Amino acid sequence: MVYLSKSQMAEVEYLFNQSAQGIHVLFDNAMIRKVLSRPTEEIDFFTFENVNKVQKVLSDFIAKESLAAKKAFLESLDQDTHELLLRTYFNIVENSIYEQGALKH
């Protein structure tokens, strides 16, 4: 289990809110298009192994103390893990948009 400080939680919420508005601070727009243009049905995205992996990677990502540290963490990931984290990140963003009843971008 990961424990987040108030400032870490505020930063993550800020990043999700920015992404919900179409402002993607952490991810390159070309990479977003490339990864999300391929439906998850075409890949083994929802496997037990991926769920365990994404829990760890997402926890490590969120726990980074600053935006620069989060970007450096993303850059350190191999392509498959980066794609897994990107898909998960935007799944969270999409679900939060639906929960809020906000318009999609």
Side-chain angles (χ1 to χ4, degrees), residues 31 34 77-84:
M31 179 60 79
K34 178 185 170 197
L77 298 175
D78 63 75
Q79 184 175 348
D80 289 341
T81 305
H82 187 274
E83 179 177 331
L84 184 65

Side-chain angles (χ1 to χ4, degrees), residues 46-69:
F46 297 107
T47 64
F48 182 75
E49 179 182 318
N50 278 352
V51 170
N52 286 335
K53 185 175 183 179
V54 80
Q55 285 177 338
K56 169 136 180 44
V57 173
L58 185 60
S59 295
D60 292 346
F61 171 73
I62 290 172
K64 298 301 175 195
E65 292 292 328
S66 67
L67 185 58

Side-chain angles (χ1 to χ4, degrees), residues 1 8 29 36 42 47 52-53 56 69 71 76-77 88 94 96:
M1 180 170 275
Q8 287 172 307
N29 286 337
L36 297 183
E42 293 181 6
T47 64
N52 286 335
K53 185 175 183 179
K56 169 136 180 44
K71 284 185 176 188
S76 75
L77 298 175
T88 302
E94 184 176 37
S96 67

